[in-house]
Amino acid sequence: MEIEGAIIEAKLYRGKIIVWDEAQANQLYQRGFYGKPLSGGKLQLAPVEALYLMENGKITVANGTGKKLSFKALAEKFTETDPDLMLKYAAYSDLRSRGYIVKTGLKFGAHFRVYDRGEKPGEAHSKFLVHAIPEGVKMTPTELARAVRLAHSVRKRIIWAVVDDEGDITYYSVTRERP
């Protein structure tokens, strides 16, 4: 995604990252389906989206006093309330860098819902749910079955993004077989 003109400015406002300028908000949303449009032409970015856009030089984020925050400062701020933020960020960043549109999957019981390349949220349904887990985590057969059944019930496949200590990701999928 190439944003035209200057770097887009976002602000940390009441614990949320908001792009206040309508033209910039529209540009971010229309060119990469980043964020969630709000009334008045504003756009709310999820922490992983803001970090990804910051790391790629597309946005800056300022605090309430107008001071620009670094990637590290913003990551630390959101890690206070979400200890798994950087684990999720590793998967989000990897998926985005591969050309996928990635949106929150919270209501589906996973970290993300992922749209196939070329598909647009609102016009197509996501085909995948992705849940990031650290390498070495133990999952019971019941947990695996629950995730597969939930994904299947909403016509999606569940994929686990296993993040190792170096930040490398291996993707695993478990599917439902019928006898």
Side-chain angles (χ1 to χ4, degrees), residues 1 3 6-11 17 19 28 45-46 49-61 68-69 74:
M1 175 193 78
I3 302 293
I7 293 175
I8 290 174
E9 295 177 14
K11 290 201 169 68
I17 301 151
V19 176
L28 265 181
L45 297 171
E49 292 175 312
L51 289 170
Y52 180 78
L53 290 165
M54 281 180 82
E55 187 172 59
N56 287 283
K58 306 296 183 192
I59 69 167
T60 60
V61 177
K68 287 194 168 125
L69 299 171
L74 190 64

Side-chain angles (χ1 to χ4, degrees), residues 144-156:
L144 289 170
R146 184 179 299 126
V148 170
R149 283 184 63 84
L150 179 58
H152 183 78
S153 73
V154 292
R155 296 187 179 100
K156 299 178 189 339

Side-chain angles (χ1 to χ4, degrees), residues 95-150:
L95 290 164
R96 273 289 187 169
S97 72
R98 294 171 186 259
Y100 293 102
I101 302 294
V102 183
K103 304 301 278 179
T104 181
L106 196 57
K107 71 180 180 180
F108 298 107
H111 290 134
F112 306 112
R113 64 187 194 276
V114 179
Y115 293 82
D116 238 344
R117 290 180 190 93
E119 291 186 343
K120 298 176 182 176
E123 293 178 14
H125 291 284
S126 61
K127 291 191 173 72
F128 309 101
L129 297 176
V130 175
H131 198 77
I133 58 173
E135 183 179 44
V137 74
K138 304 253 189 279
M139 293 183 74
T140 66
T142 303
E143 290 171 317
L144 289 170
R146 184 179 299 126
V148 170
R149 283 184 63 84
L150 179 58

Side-chain angles (χ1 to χ4, degrees), residues 22-41:
E22 187 172 355
Q24 290 184 334
N26 285 339
Q27 199 174 41
L28 265 181
Y29 188 76
Q30 291 171 1
R31 300 241 172 132
F33 296 97
Y34 292 97
K36 175 178 148 189
L38 303 174
S39 63

